[in-house]
C-alpha cells in the first residue's frame, strides 16, 4: 500500500516509513519542483520513496 502512496505523495510515504525529518526536507523540495517544472522531478522522489520503503522492509526482515 505504501508503494502506491509513494506514486501520489512521496513525502507522506516517506513519513510513514518513520523518517519525519527527511519527509519534511523532501516536501520542501518536492512542492516547488512540482510547481516549477510541471512534474518533471516527480519520478526522482518516487524512486527515493520506493528505496526507503524497501530499506525499511529489509531492516524488519533482518530482525
Amino acid at each position: 500500500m505504501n508503494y502506491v502512496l509513494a506514486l501520489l505523495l512521496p513525502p507522506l510515504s516517506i513519513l510513514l516509513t518513520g523518517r519525519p525529518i527527511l519527509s519534511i526536507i523532501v516536501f520542501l523540495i518536492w512542492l516547488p519542483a512540482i510547481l516549477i517544472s510541471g512534474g518533471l522531478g516527480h519520478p526522482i522522489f518516487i524512486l527515493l520513496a520506493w528505496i526507503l520503503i524497501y530499506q525499511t522492509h529489509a531492516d524488519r526482515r533482518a530482525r
Side-chain angles (χ1 to χ4, degrees):
M1 181 69 179
N2 204 1
Y3 286 105
V4 176
L5 184 61
L7 287 171
L8 303 173
L9 295 169
L12 181 60
S13 178
I14 293 170
L15 179 66
L16 293 176
T17 62
R19 299 175 186 254
I21 295 172
L22 182 61
S23 69
I24 292 169
I25 293 169
V26 167
F27 180 75
L28 293 175
I29 298 170
W30 175 74
L31 190 60
I34 294 297
L35 296 175
I36 293 171
S37 72
L40 293 176
H42 190 68
I44 300 299
F45 294 106
I46 292 172
L47 184 62
L48 173 65
W50 280 359
I51 289 169
L52 292 173
I53 294 166
Y54 179 79
Q55 182 182 12
T56 302
H57 289 295
D59 289 344
R60 288 182 187 161
R61 280 183 292 218
R63 288 187 209 168

